[in-house]
Structure formats: structure tokens, C-alpha cells
Amino acid sequence: MTSTSEQPTTTTSTFESVDDVVEALAAQGYIADRRLATTVFLLTRLEKPLLLEGPAGVGKTELAKMLAVATGRKFLRLQCYEGQDETKALYEWDYGKQLLYTQILREKIGQVVEDAPDIPTAVDRIGAQDSVFFSERFLAPRPLLEAIRSDEPVVLLIDEVDRADEALEAVLLETLGEFQISVPEVGTFMAKNAPYVILTSNNTRDLAAALKRRCLHLFLDYPTAERELDIVRSKNTGLPEAAARELVEVVRGLRELELRKAPSISETIDWARTLAVLGIDDLNSQILSDTVSVVVKYDKDVTKALNALPGLVDPNATIDDAAHGHGHGHGHGHGHDGDHSHDAPTNGRSTGPAPVSDDEDGPDGRAVRAAKDEPGRHAGVYGAPGRDNQEAARTGSDRNPTNPRKVSSSQGNRSFGLGKKRAL
């Protein structure tokens, strides 16, 4: 443990300039633009944490990994999730080890208290030994404490911090601000070598201002077409240059469709490798439709992608929906052949398809009911006027409810039994 009076040892940066950052990362297969490289250079010189925000799949996590490789530092990762508490991020006490030592030292503990005149005295003697069982020997460090206690320089990745609860953000403030962690039973640990800390966020919620204030900040978006093509080239996917360039443009087009999950850079690389394995030299909408599931992972996104691919590749191309199971049948085994012809009327009612909402749970019930709400739909049911009554209303006959037939008083009396009373 480092005494609180000691100061963290400053680690000399391995980067001499921004260009040096670009070259070092590129040597590891990470293509960084000038703005990102400048931010990384400042991270190493100012020894401040870096908060990277942006959509999933733009290279935030990969940057931390490649920075560790490029600088020769040890890589540590704290993966955040909902409900995570500080014991999973900072440290835990090894209770199993403490119990084992207690059992082994039972005889020794008995000797400590054997001549105690009363119980309070015995308790005091045992209590005096607490420091033995709550010491570094029984301390189980988690990523944050491990990064602080490490004898060698590290790169600490705090991944998807926006998924953690706000309580964990408060725990991070001491670590990120002073590179130290306080353990009440032991003392304060201070970093021997200031770690390079990178936090990532997918913007699922806003982070506390106190957390952002302690960090350098950069919003990392999807790369330009040229830089993404450079990334694909650097991975040696095996896809020809012309096809790779066209594939990058297709992926960028898919990202503009407002999909539930836009294709990431790593998925672009996977798609390029997939096409290379299939021996594709010239892209067409059919082969891209056959392999679109490599980059599109939700059913409704697949439908949007299949509709858009012909226009992204060749406006004159067509796709055989039945071959992909994305027609009306969907391959869900509904017991029909997928022919939902909307040309023939059903039960004499509306011939159009029922409106379907974009909700994952299926059709919008209100829209379906509204589509069926047409005059005459209840004809002849539960006393409602039948179609013959409707026809009478149209022709003005005596059966028209709007022009009722005149009834004489005698007929009315007979209907209500009044005629019998007069007879009496």
C-alpha cells in the first residue's frame, strides 16, 4: 500500500507527437483521424481520463485495447451493467479465505482468550485482532483497485459506463480525480503509475456533470467513407478494392435508414470477409440480400434493408423475396403458403389489407377496428336493420324505419290489450 503522503509516479508518454499517435495506432490496425489522435495524445500528456461517447460499434472499446498494445501497458477492463455495486468495481473481502484461516487458527485463538476473566474481556482481545483478518492479505481487488495498486503502468477501460447506476458514478469520482481509492479498514491506495483511463458511453442516459468534469471528452461518430475504407483495407479482408469501396457505400446507406441497430465498423469488416469467402468480386443486390444478416440483426431492420439494397446497389435490380423468406410467409409456419392476395373481397367487406403498425407486437388493434367500421356491417344482427330494411329506406317503402307505416288507433289498442277492457 502506498502511503497517503506519497505522490503518484508520473509515467513518461511513449508518444512524442500527434503524428506519433496516428502511426502507433495504425501499426496495430486502428485507423485514427487527426482529431481522435490529438485527444489521445492529450490523454497521455495530461494524465486525465478520456470519456468517449457515441453510437455502438464506432471503435471506442477497440481504441483502449490498441492503446494498451501500442504503449506496452497492461490492459484492465471494468464492464458496467445495471445494478452493479461498488464491490464489483473496487474490491471485495475474501470471506472464504478469512473463514479458512479462522478454522486453521482456532487453537491459537483459544489461547488468546483462555485466561480472560469474563466475556467482554475475551471479545476485546479478539477484536484487537481484526486488523489481521481485514488486511491486504484478504483483500480481493477488482479492476479499479487493481489499476491503482498495479506495479506496472496500465490502460483501464471503464466500458459502457452509461449502463451502470448513478451510485457507481459517485464511486468513480475519487478514482478518476485523484487516482486513489480509500479502503476504510486499511487506508488509502494511491497509484504508483498514473493509469491511462478510457470511459465509453453509448448515450443510453446522461452522465453526471461531476463525472464529465474530470474527463477529457470526445464524441466518436461513424467514420467518413474514406477512413472506413482504410479500416477495411487494414484488416486484409480479401475483398477486391472496387468491391470494398462499393460495400462501404452500401453500409453507409444502410445507416441512414434509421435502423434499430445501425451496422458497426466491425460488422462492415465481417461483411467484407464474408463476401471474400464466397469469392465475390462484383457486388449485386442479390448476393448482398443473401448475406445482409451479417450486418443487420433485427427482423424489421432486415425488411428495411432488403427493400433498400436494390436502390443502394442497382436501381434496376430485383430481389426474390420468397428465396429469403421475407415475403408474406416469413417462414413462421402459419400453415399457409404465404399468398395473401388483397384483390378478392373477404366476407363482402373491405378488400384492402388491415393496417399494421410498426410495433413489435403486431397489428394495431385500433387501426384494424377502424378499417372494419363501415355502414351495414351489423345488418341483420341483434335487431339491427337488415339489408332489406336498408333497401326499403333507400326506396322509401313503408318498411323504411325513417318513414314508418301509419297505424290506426284500433290496431294500437289491440296491440296493448286495451280492446278487451272496453269490451268488459
Side-chain angles (χ1 to χ4, degrees), residues 141-223:
R142 297 307 178 198
L144 294 183
L145 182 56
E146 188 177 353
I148 297 299
R149 293 179 64 193
S150 177
D151 291 329
E152 58 181 306
V154 303
V155 171
L156 172 62
L157 169 64
I158 304 176
D159 208 13
E160 297 184 327
V161 66
D162 54 318
R163 294 186 180 275
D165 297 334
E166 293 182 2
L168 184 60
E169 286 188 41
V171 172
L172 292 174
L173 298 182
E174 180 185 16
T175 306
L176 301 180
E178 290 80 28
F179 292 129
Q180 69 179 33
I181 292 177
S182 298
V183 181
E185 299 87 347
V186 178
T188 300
F189 293 92
M190 299 190 70
K192 297 178 181 179
N193 299 285
Y196 294 162
V197 183
I198 294 181
L199 302 90
T200 71
S201 169
N202 295 333
N203 290 326
T204 58
R205 69 172 178 86
D206 290 334
L207 300 177
L211 179 67
K212 289 191 172 185
R213 188 171 63 248
R214 286 164 170 78
C215 302
L216 299 172
H217 181 269
L218 180 66
F219 184 86
L220 198 60
D221 206 346
Y222 292 108

Side-chain angles (χ1 to χ4, degrees), residues 253-262 301 304:
L254 292 178
R255 289 176 184 148
E256 296 176 358
L257 297 180
E258 297 183 358
L259 303 177
R260 179 175 176 181
K261 180 193 173 303
D301 286 356
K304 290 181 181 180

Side-chain angles (χ1 to χ4, degrees), residues 157-383:
L157 169 64
I158 304 176
D159 208 13
E160 297 184 327
V161 66
D162 54 318
R163 294 186 180 275
D165 297 334
E166 293 182 2
L168 184 60
E169 286 188 41
V171 172
L172 292 174
L173 298 182
E174 180 185 16
T175 306
L176 301 180
E178 290 80 28
F179 292 129
Q180 69 179 33
I181 292 177
S182 298
V183 181
E185 299 87 347
V186 178
T188 300
F189 293 92
M190 299 190 70
K192 297 178 181 179
N193 299 285
Y196 294 162
V197 183
I198 294 181
L199 302 90
T200 71
S201 169
N202 295 333
N203 290 326
T204 58
R205 69 172 178 86
D206 290 334
L207 300 177
L211 179 67
K212 289 191 172 185
R213 188 171 63 248
R214 286 164 170 78
C215 302
L216 299 172
H217 181 269
L218 180 66
F219 184 86
L220 198 60
D221 206 346
Y222 292 108
T224 62
E226 194 59 38
R227 190 161 74 90
E228 188 163 8
L229 181 59
D230 290 339
I231 295 171
V232 173
R233 289 194 194 106
S234 69
K235 300 303 180 181
N236 298 319
T237 62
L239 194 65
E241 173 71 15
R245 183 177 294 277
E246 188 174 3
L247 180 66
V248 167
E249 293 299 333
V250 170
V251 172
R252 291 173 62 81
L254 292 178
R255 289 176 184 148
E256 296 176 358
L257 297 180
E258 297 183 358
L259 303 177
R260 179 175 176 181
K261 180 193 173 303
S264 67
I265 300 174
S266 62
E267 287 168 332
T268 303
I269 297 169
D270 290 341
W271 206 1
R273 286 173 175 162
T274 298
L275 296 172
V277 168
L278 295 175
I280 304 302
D281 295 329
D282 185 21
L283 302 189
N284 58 71
S285 60
Q286 189 65 56
I287 190 60
L288 293 180
S289 299
D290 291 340
T291 57
V292 73
S293 59
V294 174
V295 296
V296 181
K297 305 301 172 65
Y298 292 94
D299 184 59
K300 290 205 170 192
D301 286 356
V302 170
T303 301
K304 290 181 181 180
L306 290 175
N307 292 334
L309 279 174
L312 294 175
V313 180
D314 179 6
N316 298 320
T318 58
I319 302 175
D320 183 6
D321 287 343
H324 302 292
H326 291 284
H328 290 298
H330 293 287
H332 296 316
H334 295 307
H336 51 73
D337 57 4
D339 184 8
H340 292 235
S341 175
H342 303 304
D343 297 329
T346 304
N347 297 330
R349 298 178 185 172
S350 174
T351 60
V356 178
S357 73
D358 290 332
D359 190 4
E360 294 286 346
D361 295 330
D364 183 349
R366 291 173 298 180
V368 173
R369 288 193 296 273
K372 295 181 179 179
D373 189 13
E374 55 183 86
R377 68 190 188 283
H378 298 307
V381 180
Y382 298 115

